[in-house]
Amino acid sequence: MNSSAIAAGPVFSARDITRVYRMGEVSVHALRGVTMDLYRGEFVVLLGPSGSGKSTLLNILGGLDVPTTGSVHFLDQNLTQSTDRELTQFRRDHVGFVFQFYNLIPSLTARENVALVTEIANNPMDPAEALALVGLEARVDHFPAQMSGGEQQRVAIARAVAKRPDVLLCDEPTGALDAKTGIVVLEVIERINRELGTTTAVITHNAMIAEMADRVISLSDGRVSEIRRNERKRPASEIVW
Amino acid sequence: MRAIHRKLLRNLWVMKGQSIAIALVIASGIAMSVMSLSTLRSLQATRETYYQRFRFAEVFASFKRGPLSLQQRVEDISGVARA
Ligand SMILES: Nc1ncnc2c1ncn2[C@@H]1O[C@H](COP(=O)(O)OP(=O)(O)OP(=O)(O)O)[C@@H](O)[C@H]1O
Ligand SMILES: [Mg+2]
């Protein structure tokens, strides 16, 4: 990321957001006042122990959830004051999601899983092009059950980026993979960020993965405990864990 | 065909036993309702033709002590079968 991106203002800005889950008598404070920005084209890693609120934060940024208090802006749009329909449109136009468990549709091939999205997107890639981007050009007609976990995750990434989203949000994309496969997946995410310039946020438990990022935002107990800038980004291929 | 339709067809194919059973239930329901409706229609038509054939009047009007000269004028009213 260069300094002109910062000058252009953030893509996302979250201001003092809290999220309280209320279940009968008990209320769980998942976020206790988080303020953070995400700039155009940058690669951010969200780091923190289990239960620190990483997924909750990412879901709020992606318009899957709304904060209890505080505000979230995507460019000029105030996500906290949007209706469900506006949030759906926002997700459809701007956000690509990748989850720990790939959430592919078992009865559709890789190409068809990607087509599911490109058929309703505004300016999509060709599904085959998206799959080539993640190195799966030879597997377009295979079903999820015929692919390894890493390959399925790459299909999920192809599906997320095929609509050319402004942001790519990944919740523990390597959580279910071994180190070697995880690195292949991270290389794909790195490449999307570099070549398409897609603003990328990745959640991980793994401090080694944080070396890949422009910035690392650490959460603990629902608060931002540290924001660190990496002087030198380490390529995914050099990561060991 | 869109991917979502393809998914639908494949999922239906996987549970083809159930799909067929559901289709049969729906088909017999529709058949039942078509049958009942056409029975009703044909009964109504039968009644109409029976009434027509045996000249059942739809309206009777009687009156006492009218002049015979009126008979012709009443017969001239359209739809009057007999006066
Ligand atoms: N739907 C929910 N209902 C109630 N509590 C929830 C819900 N989702 C999350 N929480 C609680 O909010 C807190 C933060 O959860 P969150 O999923 O954001 O953590 P996380 O940092 O993603 O953890 P992990 O690394 O294990 O995925 C946890 O204490 C969790 O129990
Ligand atoms: Mg989580």
Side-chain angles (χ1 to χ4, degrees), chain A residues 104 136 139 146-156 181 185:
Chain A
L104 298 176
L136 289 177
R139 311 298 298 271
Q146 299 168 318
M147 285 185 266
S148 72
E151 286 159 352
Q152 290 183 52
Q153 189 60 297
R154 278 143 73 196
V155 175
T181 324
V185 166

Side-chain angles (χ1 to χ4, degrees), chain A residues 54-56 171-172 203:
Chain A
K54 304 181 297 294
S55 299
T56 306
D171 195 344
E172 299 191 42
I203 288 182

Side-chain angles (χ1 to χ4, degrees), chain A residues 21 23 28 30 48-57 171-172 203 205:
Chain A
Y21 292 106
M23 293 171 302
V28 182
S50 185
S52 55
K54 304 181 297 294
S55 299
T56 306
L57 177 60
D171 195 344
E172 299 191 42
I203 288 182
H205 285 120

Side-chain angles (χ1 to χ4, degrees), chain A residues 10-237:
Chain A
V11 183
F12 275 108
S13 61
R15 289 291 167 267
D16 208 27
I17 54 176
T18 65
R19 179 69 171 96
V20 183
Y21 292 106
R22 221 169 278 288
M23 293 171 302
E25 296 290 283
V26 279
S27 48
V28 182
H29 293 260
L31 296 176
R32 305 164 182 267
V34 169
T35 294
M36 50 137 339
D37 293 314
L38 228 54
Y39 295 94
R40 186 168 298 285
E42 76 174 336
F43 191 127
V44 165
V45 162
L46 290 173
L47 203 58
S50 185
S52 55
K54 304 181 297 294
S55 299
T56 306
L57 177 60
L58 201 78
N59 290 345
I60 288 174
L61 292 178
L64 288 172
D65 194 3
V66 285
T68 310
T69 63
S71 73
V72 184
H73 281 82
F74 172 79
L75 301 176
D76 293 337
Q77 185 177 356
N78 186 343
L79 298 183
T80 28
Q81 284 172 3
S82 300
T83 60
D84 272 354
R85 183 177 289 269
E86 285 163 352
L87 282 180
T88 303
Q89 196 62 42
F90 158 73
R91 290 194 298 268
R92 188 178 286 190
D93 292 343
H94 304 294
V95 190
F97 282 104
V98 175
F99 297 102
Q100 177 174 2
F101 302 102
Y102 333 116
N103 295 341
L104 298 176
I105 295 191
S107 57
L108 295 179
T109 63
R111 187 206 302 274
E112 290 159 352
N113 264 286
V114 178
L116 216 49
V117 170
T118 58
E119 281 164 4
I120 57 169
N122 282 328
N123 173 29
M125 298 177 198
D126 185 67
E129 185 190 341
L131 286 162
L133 205 60
V134 299
L136 289 177
E137 50 277 82
R139 311 298 298 271
V140 288
D141 291 320
H142 288 187
F143 287 92
Q146 299 168 318
M147 285 185 266
S148 72
E151 286 159 352
Q152 290 183 52
Q153 189 60 297
R154 278 143 73 196
V155 175
I157 294 172
R159 183 177 59 181
V161 300
K163 62 177 171 183
R164 303 181 203 278
D166 295 302
V167 287
L168 180 61
L169 304 179
C170 311
D171 195 344
E172 299 191 42
T174 59
L177 304 174
D178 65 20
K180 192 161 152 284
T181 324
I183 286 170
V184 175
V185 166
L186 291 172
E187 280 176 329
V188 166
I189 294 175
E190 188 177 54
R191 181 158 165 228
I192 304 279
N193 173 252
R194 185 163 22 91
E195 291 180 10
L196 304 182
T198 313
T199 309
T200 306
V202 175
I203 288 182
T204 179
H205 285 120
N206 187 330
M208 293 306 293
I209 295 178
E211 312 259 293
M212 290 172 59
D214 292 303
R215 282 195 306 146
V216 183
I217 300 178
S218 302
L219 291 182
S220 71
D221 200 22
R223 290 195 181 84
V224 176
S225 56
E226 187 197 10
I227 298 183
R228 167 164 64 87
R229 174 170 298 281
N230 280 333
E231 287 315 317
R232 198 186 83 85
K233 284 208 275 184
R234 191 191 284 265
S237 53

